[in-house]
């Protein structure tokens, strides 16, 4: 899986560890080593610290992975601004990581069928103020998911999980008054936890969801309804 160094990605890795004999964890951050060290007692872990937006990074993951039974595309970045202020560099960087990396990995990996791909989208794919590039990239992930579900069937299932507001380190950057307004807009009246996201991802990776493909599961406390 990608983006395993922290937050939702680290929690997904924790949740998947008991279900597999081996995990390949990829991330650009040096914090990836902490995730790998934590999980070594549970599963054979191969960490790949690499820039996945580069050709060399993708090659490193493909070589480390071998035949793959499940892929979780979680790596992502944000470079938020209003549309009128967005630079070409920020626009391209977000699309390259959030959409380009999943496309390249899905295209390059070899599968042990039946296999499952879970792409991490975001509730923001429905539209978010100040996140033009991010919303566009996550909307692209939804389109990629649906297209790949058709082209890779029947041997590989492809689904997406779209988290809403989730209690991770990123929340600390949001002013409290803004955060409270965001929570007030959620029908379940709270943020989600990384564990709640990870449980849905693990279900989609497993044969318990063997008749599910091409779907987007929004895990956002009902925020997509309002």
């Amino acid at each position: 899986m990608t983006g395993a160094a922290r937050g939702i990605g680290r929690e997904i890795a924790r949740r998947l560890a008991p279900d597999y004999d081996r995990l390949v964890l990829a991330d650009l951050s040096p914090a990836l080593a902490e995730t790998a060290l934590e999980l070594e007692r549970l599963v054979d872990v191969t960490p790949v610290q690499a820039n996945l937006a580069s050709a060399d990074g993708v090659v490193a993951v493909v070589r480390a992975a071998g035949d793959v039974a499940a892929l979780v595309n979680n790596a992502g970045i944000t470079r938020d601004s209003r549309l009128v202020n967005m630079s070409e560099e920020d626009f391209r960087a977000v699309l390259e990581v959030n959409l380009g990396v999943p496309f390249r990995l899905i295209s390059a990996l070899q599968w042990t069928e039946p296999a499952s791909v879970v792409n991490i989208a975001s509730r923001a794919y429905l539209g978010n103020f100040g996140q033009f590039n991010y919303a566009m990239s996550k909307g692209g992930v939804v389109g990629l998911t649906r297209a790949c579900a058709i082209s890779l069937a029947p041997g590989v299932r492809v689904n997406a999980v779209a988290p809403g507001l989730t209690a991770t380190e990123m929340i600390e950057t949001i002013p409290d008054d803004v955060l409270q307004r965001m929570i007030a807009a959620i029908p379940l009246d709270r943020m989600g936890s990384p564990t709640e996201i990870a449980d849905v991802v693990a279900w989609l990776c497993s044969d318990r969801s063997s008749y599910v493909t091409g779907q987007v599961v929004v895990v956002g406390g009902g925020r997509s309804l309002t």
Side-chain angles (χ1 to χ4, degrees), residues 29-113:
S29 170
L32 178 65
E34 299 174 14
T35 304
L37 183 62
E38 175 188 338
L39 298 181
E40 280 179 352
R41 59 186 177 83
L42 300 173
V43 64
D44 180 11
V45 180
T46 302
V48 179
Q49 186 182 344
N51 178 7
L52 299 180
S54 70
D56 288 345
V58 172
V59 169
V61 172
V62 171
R63 287 177 175 171
D67 292 339
V68 175
L71 167 65
V72 179
N73 281 309
N74 175 68
I77 62 172
T78 58
R79 292 188 181 179
D80 297 346
S81 70
R82 298 186 181 188
L83 177 58
V84 294
N85 297 326
M86 185 167 296
S87 69
E88 181 77 13
E89 179 184 1
D90 286 349
F91 175 79
R92 290 183 177 275
V94 169
L95 264 68
E96 180 65 28
V97 174
N98 296 2
L99 182 55
V101 171
F103 165 73
R104 291 188 182 92
L105 285 177
I106 292 171
S107 301
L109 288 168
Q110 299 297 314
W111 306 102
T112 300
E113 299 181 359

Side-chain angles (χ1 to χ4, degrees), residues 115-133:
S116 176
V117 176
V118 180
N119 297 318
I120 304 302
S122 169
R123 194 214 66 85
Y125 89 90
L126 298 171
N128 256 8
F129 178 77
Q131 288 194 309
F132 176 81
N133 51 356

Side-chain angles (χ1 to χ4, degrees), residues 165-189:
L165 186 65
T166 307
T168 65
E169 298 94 328
M170 293 179 64
I171 296 299
E172 298 172 2
T173 66
I174 302 175
D176 186 64
D177 60 330
V178 175
L179 180 60
Q180 294 309 313
R181 288 198 298 271
M182 294 170 70
I183 293 173
I186 300 172
L188 292 188
D189 198 31

